[in-house]
Amino acid sequence: MSARDHLARGAPMLRVENLSKHFGGIRAVDDVTFEVNEGEILGIIGPNGCGKSTLFNCILGQLQPTDGRVTLGGEEITGLFPADLNRRGVSRTFQLLQVFPNLTVRENLILAGQEHVGSMMSRLFGPRDAGLGTAAEKMIGFFNLGHLADSKAGGLSYGQQKLLDAAMAFMAGPRLVLLDEPAGGVNLTMLASLKERLRAINREQGATFVVIEHNMDFVMSLCDRVIVMAEGKVLATGTPDEIRADPAVIEAYLGH
Amino acid sequence: MDQLLQLVLAGLATGSIYALAAIGFTLVWQTSQTINFAQGEFVMLPAILVLAAVKFLHLPLPAAVLLATGAFLLLFGFGFKKFLVDPMLRHGVLPLAIATMALSILMKEGAKDGFSAEAQQFPSLVPDGAVNLFGATLSLRDIAIFIVAVVAIVLLQLFVTRTRTGRMMQATAQNPDVAKILGIPTEQMILLTFLINAGLAVLASFLISPIYLAKFSNGEVIGTAAFIAAIVGGFNQVRGALLGGFIVGLVDNLAAAYVSSAYRAAVPLALLVLVILFKPEGLLGRKEERTV
Amino acid sequence: MTPPSPLSRLDLNLLVLLLGAAILWFVPAGMKSYGIYVISFWLVMSIAAMGLNLTLGYAGLKSLAQAAFLGIGAYTTALMTAKGGIAGPVWSWPLAFLASGALTFLAGILLGFPALRVKFHYLAFVTLAFATLMFLIFRNEQWLTGGVYGFPNIPRPTLFGVKLLNDLAFFRFLLVVTLALSVAMWWLLRSPWGRAFMALRENPLRAASLGVNLRSYTLLAFAIGAGYGGFAGALYAPMVEFIDPAPFAISASFVLLLTVVVGGQGYFLGPFLGAAFSYVLPEMLRVTGGYYLLVYAALVLALLLVSPQGLLGLVEKLRERRRVKAAQAMRDASKVMLEARP
């Protein structure tokens, strides 16, 4: 079953309604509305400063939106703190490297899942790996990090850390994953592997993805649907093919 | 009423000394993220150095003052930056802060073992008299301390805002990266803040020691007061440190009179905790946008 | 090959701990009571430092109040065991020990709350304020603590019907308790909690995005660290049999912080090494007369300049350098071999 079939059948997982964020007089995000269906991979693109990072931060509780609503599976999540969001099944990766450098790859992965199983007490008196040993092992294999499982994450190459960062986002079996420039700074060989892994895990876990990315080829070949933002507003929405042919998008990217 | 007036004046006098220490503290914090846990010892030591120069080198007092000032600026202005702050800062703010803790013990023990464990008289420039004002008896020394400290702070403020060097220093303090791009010799400017810090400490030392006597353990009280003043006023502001200094000095003196003397030391700390909990950016500080 | 992570090193650390305890059981047999006192003192301060190492070294929260927790534990134990004790000679000390831990744990939670609101240097000052307040209480509330005149006649615990008056017997008792507390800390650090504490230090923002409850873990790191201070106090009081406020002053909290840093913060065995440096070394330096604190401070400064990660950090750095050098030598050797080929 391809991701396109999901698109036809899936119910909306994430709804963003009339979301705005103003900094003083600047409307970084201006009345943005869109939906992401269950299992869908949605890409958000746009020139620098178009507001996509601010939009991300508002959805993720890093910034309080000035106006508007965000719902997850019908439940309002506007302005919730990152940890609360995470416990409701929202997971993310970061633009800049955000792994725990002094923990090993395996420990990073177990940490990423441990707060979602058992209680505080079972986390103290229960098994050391919180019962996630097998899951971590599987994730390590899935992202081809086997030979590095017991190395400190801080000693990994940039691309490897990016893979680990992505793998961590999937440890808790999230409903929604927001990926902030997953391809940034990753070399070409690693990029192909990253894209293929993300597609595979999307099929396997059935999670919904929202991806911010500058790398056009990466977005167009990964995503089911793409939103183009400019000056804080949604400029166009459509399949990658529709977006490529949209005159407004061509104008926004090439016109100036 | 006249007792209150005396207390307020005494509070402003000690407060202005705390302000000197607190301003130095914020300056080195701004330019090089140094939380100097030895700041109190910086104020303790110059007076001890003067007395040591008189005692061991048999110098006349003015020569001793000059020598002590020069030695202190060299050691704890230049040397402190060059040999402690620069090498430690590469490893982060915390290791540096902890190193200054060790330095504070070193300075305190050095003063005790190298000079004296007893409190020593320190000569005052102003005679120990009093004037009557609105029916209150006001100490001449308190008035003199207040005036000298405030004049010094005003001069510093004029230097920072009115001279080219001062403005370059301010730019460095506010944003070293941008300052560097603008072609400001940031290294020299940072060194200048350390020298100013040492200079303010020397002045504070000479002002406070005639009242409290020169003793190796003086730094504990002064250091704590300077931290509190800096935080209460707003960590990134010279104006804030000034205001904080006066507030701590006043609270300190009023608490000594109206609260049990046993818990006097706890009152400014209570003030500190309240400010940290309810206005952590300090009274004059700017609030920063939430990032988490 | 990268160096092992602090958590994966823990199993080896336990081995060192057990071996060390076995050796220490026999070491002081022939010693005079002063020697036994010095190593007893070392163990007690190691426990206090171990607590602070959790708060500072693993969870990255700066506390300047550890000596105050030591004091709370010591005075609680003194009050509960002196003059016959609250529950007779057998049960008074165990009860006091638990009460000391519980009380400081609660105090740690209270003190942890500001940690949730403010970070960085502010937290150090909040704990500094608390430590000052506690010191004033120890000094001023004479009816309770004896004030500057001190609290005399604190009895030694009684074990299996035998009062541990003999210094060697008390030392061995202390050793067993230290081992038990160390193993408990070891368990804690290798559990998922230990991982969460480290995450808190390394990157709180990322930790929160992974569902780590910053509030709970911050409070726990503070409270457990404080609790170890209380336990150490409960052992300190019967060891010296007389307490006054001096060892619980601000400067004592500073020295405890230096102890953790000197040993190597975030290293499981760091507190033991640090406490040896801070509390055993000065005893040896007593031959230098009154200058030992001066020498101690100078040594700490010198060490920090060379290795801000403390003694164990220095060891790791040297080992790392040797490994790099060995790898370089191997590369050079293979290069020579390649070049030697026609």
Side-chain angles (χ1 to χ4, degrees):
Chain A
M1 182 169 59
S2 82
R4 289 264 182 317
D5 298 325
H6 273 294
L7 180 59
R9 305 182 321 143
M13 169 57 71
L14 176 74
R15 272 183 70 87
V16 173
E17 291 169 48
N18 308 104
L19 196 86
S20 295
K21 175 70 188 177
H22 303 171
F23 295 105
I26 301 159
R27 296 168 177 228
V29 174
D30 192 4
D31 197 25
V32 167
T33 299
F34 65 89
E35 280 180 9
V36 195
N37 295 319
E38 198 175 338
E40 190 183 11
I41 303 182
L42 176 85
I44 301 180
I45 59 171
N48 271 331
C50 70
K52 54 190 193 301
S53 286
T54 309
L55 174 67
F56 237 48
N57 285 329
C58 286
I59 297 173
L60 284 162
Q62 308 274 5
L63 289 172
Q64 288 292 335
T66 314
D67 205 5
R69 264 159 55 91
V70 183
T71 56
L72 178 73
E75 197 183 350
E76 175 149 9
I77 56 163
T78 322
L80 284 184
F81 283 101
D84 297 325
L85 281 171
N86 184 254
R87 277 189 286 273
R88 283 163 201 251
V90 181
S91 196
R92 73 169 298 184
T93 70
F94 288 79
Q95 189 176 344
L96 298 171
L97 283 182
Q98 299 270 5
V99 298
F100 299 97
N102 279 311
L103 295 179
T104 64
V105 167
R106 194 191 306 276
E107 287 161 357
N108 265 285
L109 288 168
I110 291 173
L111 176 76
Q114 71 176 34
E115 300 300 318
H116 295 260
V117 292
S119 62
M120 280 306 269
M121 280 304 120
S122 77
R123 262 168 247 144
L124 178 59
F125 295 110
R128 188 176 181 179
D129 61 7
L132 292 168
T134 331
E137 205 54 54
K138 206 175 141 208
M139 201 60 83
I140 287 167
F142 191 82
F143 280 93
N144 300 325
L145 292 166
H147 55 300
L148 298 163
D150 293 306
S151 303
K152 272 195 200 180
L156 268 54
S157 76
Y158 187 87
Q160 288 162 341
Q161 290 195 36
K162 272 285 206 205
L163 282 180
L164 174 59
D165 194 15
M168 284 163 76
F170 296 106
M171 269 305 285
R175 291 199 281 170
L176 173 70
V177 185
L178 290 99
L179 299 122
D180 194 349
E181 300 201 11
V186 179
N187 70 39
L188 278 175
T189 359
M190 197 68 101
L191 208 59
S193 139
L194 179 68
K195 185 165 64 192
E196 181 246 330
R197 293 294 87 192
L198 288 177
R199 283 208 85 103
I201 204 158
N202 174 261
R203 275 197 303 276
E204 196 174 301
Q205 289 197 347
T208 309
F209 289 11
V210 180
V211 186
I212 291 186
E213 187 50 68
H214 276 296
N215 185 325
M216 279 300 184
D217 292 339
F218 186 82
V219 175
M220 294 301 184
S221 54
L222 175 70
C223 299
D224 302 314
R225 203 154 55 90
V226 175
I227 287 181
V228 184
M229 281 184 73
E231 288 164 13
K233 290 182 191 301
V234 174
L235 187 70
T237 311
T239 63
D241 289 337
E242 288 163 8
I243 292 296
R244 275 199 204 93
D246 191 316
V249 176
I250 296 168
E251 166 73 22
Y253 268 89
L254 306 172
H256 303 291
Chain B
M1 183 59 211
D2 54 332
Q3 196 213 354
L4 183 66
L5 203 59
Q6 279 164 29
L7 284 172
V8 167
L9 179 69
L12 289 177
T14 34
S16 61
I17 293 170
Y18 294 158
L20 290 175
I23 289 170
F25 187 71
T26 46
L27 275 180
V28 296
W29 160 255
Q30 281 181 314
T31 52
S32 48
Q33 289 72 57
T34 309
I35 303 171
N36 185 12
F37 278 98
Q39 188 75 358
E41 278 67 33
F42 272 44
V43 176
M44 172 276 294
L45 197 62
I48 301 274
L49 287 179
V50 170
L51 294 178
V54 172
K55 187 176 165 192
F56 298 125
L57 304 177
H58 309 291
L59 290 177
L61 188 65
V65 166
L66 278 180
L67 181 69
T69 306
F72 189 82
L73 287 179
L74 186 68
L75 272 174
F76 293 96
F78 178 76
F80 177 57
K81 177 185 184 295
K82 208 78 193 164
F83 301 114
L84 192 78
V85 173
D86 284 353
M88 289 307 292
L89 197 56
R90 278 182 287 134
H91 303 294
V93 176
L94 180 68
L96 174 57
I98 287 165
T100 65
M101 260 179 222
L103 180 68
S104 83
I105 299 178
L106 190 68
M107 291 172 78
K108 194 159 56 182
E109 293 300 314
K112 187 172 94 182
D113 299 339
F115 184 65
S116 172
E118 303 299 319
Q120 306 285 323
Q121 293 278 353
F122 191 81
S124 171
L125 296 173
V126 183
D128 195 6
V131 288
N132 279 306
L133 202 68
F134 311 121
T137 318
L138 301 178
S139 149
L140 266 181
R141 272 187 194 172
D142 283 348
I143 296 174
I145 288 174
F146 179 74
I147 292 174
V148 173
V150 167
V151 166
I153 293 167
V154 169
L155 285 179
L156 177 67
Q157 195 63 27
L158 285 178
F159 166 74
V160 168
T161 51
R162 295 289 163 80
T163 68
R164 199 178 132 73
T165 315
R167 278 197 298 265
M168 291 203 293
M169 193 182 90
Q170 204 178 19
T172 308
Q174 276 160 7
N175 195 332
D177 295 330
V178 173
K180 201 173 268 172
I181 293 166
L182 293 174
I184 293 172
T186 51
E187 240 342 90
Q188 278 147 279
M189 291 303 124
I190 292 172
L191 180 60
L192 185 61
T193 61
F194 277 85
L195 289 174
I196 290 175
N197 177 43
L200 291 173
V202 168
L203 183 62
S205 186
F206 294 166
L207 288 176
I208 202 166
S209 300
I211 312 179
Y212 290 125
L213 305 178
K215 193 179 177 191
F216 74 97
S217 58
N218 277 357
E220 292 167 20
V221 177
I222 303 168
T224 315
F227 298 146
I228 298 176
I231 293 176
V232 165
F235 217 65
N236 293 316
Q237 305 262 338
V238 169
R239 287 183 300 134
L242 183 62
L243 177 71
F246 285 136
I247 292 176
V248 174
L250 281 173
V251 166
D252 203 19
N253 275 273
L254 293 175
Y258 298 112
V259 182
S260 86
S261 67
Y263 285 99
R264 168 189 177 180
V267 176
L269 286 161
L271 174 74
L272 167 81
V273 171
L274 287 178
V275 168
I276 286 182
L277 288 180
F278 296 107
K279 206 167 183 316
E281 69 276 14
L283 297 177
L284 297 183
R286 275 179 304 268
K287 205 165 186 154
E288 278 156 36
E289 170 105 4
R290 183 184 90 158
T291 50
V292 183
Chain C
M1 193 46 204
T2 56
S5 86
L7 295 180
S8 58
R9 218 174 10 222
L10 279 172
D11 291 339
L12 189 67
N13 288 337
L14 183 70
L15 210 67
V16 175
L17 200 70
L18 293 171
L19 210 68
I23 295 169
L24 278 174
W25 182 269
F26 296 106
V27 160
M31 277 188 177
K32 292 207 180 71
S33 82
Y34 174 70
I36 297 178
Y37 164 76
V38 171
I39 47 174
S40 300
F41 186 45
W42 169 56
L43 287 184
V44 169
M45 296 320 275
S46 296
I47 296 172
M50 209 190 308
L52 186 57
N53 191 34
L54 175 73
T55 312
L56 174 82
Y58 285 95
L61 304 161
K62 289 139 207 89
S63 164
L64 287 173
Q66 194 67 356
F69 294 124
L70 187 75
I72 296 175
Y75 279 107
T76 304
T77 302
L79 286 164
M80 288 177 72
T81 58
K83 297 186 187 123
I86 51 150
V90 177
W91 290 107
S92 287
W93 186 85
L95 281 176
F97 179 75
L98 292 178
S100 300
L103 208 59
T104 44
F105 183 88
L106 288 178
I109 288 190
L110 285 181
L111 201 54
F113 270 104
L116 301 172
R117 292 182 53 96
V118 295
K119 278 278 145 66
F120 203 51
H121 45 273
Y122 290 154
L123 183 56
F125 291 116
V126 173
T127 57
L128 188 75
F130 172 78
T132 307
L133 182 67
M134 289 318 298
F135 178 73
L136 290 175
I137 292 174
F138 297 152
R139 199 189 61 189
N140 296 330
E141 301 305 314
Q142 223 175 76
W143 60 277
L144 188 70
T145 64
V148 285
Y149 302 109
F151 196 125
N153 302 325
I154 303 162
R156 291 273 168 94
T158 302
L159 202 67
F160 305 122
V162 185
K163 196 168 182 185
L164 301 169
L165 281 174
N166 177 310
D167 286 328
L168 183 61
F170 183 75
F171 166 77
R172 286 183 170 159
F173 166 72
L174 197 57
L175 183 64
V176 172
V177 178
T178 309
L179 185 64
L181 288 172
S182 308
V183 170
M185 180 62 79
W186 172 83
W187 177 270
L188 177 83
L189 288 173
R190 75 194 284 282
S191 78
W193 282 26
R195 219 174 283 124
F197 287 142
M198 280 198 65
L200 206 64
R201 179 187 73 178
E202 299 223 309
N203 194 337
L205 201 74
R206 176 59 158 151
S209 86
L210 294 170
V212 174
N213 190 329
L214 297 185
R215 175 181 287 260
S216 309
Y217 282 112
T218 303
L219 290 179
L220 280 167
F222 240 98
I224 297 171
Y228 268 65
F231 285 141
L235 293 161
Y236 179 82
M239 178 183 75
V240 292
E241 296 170 278
F242 168 90
I243 50 173
D244 67 2
F248 316 121
I250 295 293
S251 53
S253 283
F254 276 26
V255 172
L256 265 165
L257 191 76
L258 290 178
T259 299
V260 172
V261 175
V262 160
Q265 44 169 324
Y267 291 92
F268 183 71
L269 297 174
F272 292 96
L273 206 59
F277 193 90
S278 292
Y279 301 102
V280 179
L281 192 68
E283 295 297 331
M284 292 176 172
L285 291 174
R286 274 197 198 281
V287 289
T288 61
Y291 296 104
Y292 72 94
L293 250 178
L294 186 73
V295 178
Y296 167 74
L299 280 175
V300 170
L301 259 183
L303 174 70
L304 285 177
L305 282 168
V306 176
S307 168
Q309 290 309 312
L311 289 166
L312 285 173
L314 188 66
V315 170
E316 186 164 306
K317 201 153 69 176
L318 292 178
R319 211 186 278 162
E320 185 64 17
R321 192 173 295 170
R322 209 166 48 199
R323 196 165 14 212
V324 170
K325 216 177 251 175
Q328 185 63 40
M330 246 161 82
R331 264 198 298 277
D332 288 349
S334 58
K335 205 166 141 198
V336 169
M337 271 168 60
L338 282 174
E339 282 167 356
R341 281 184 191 167

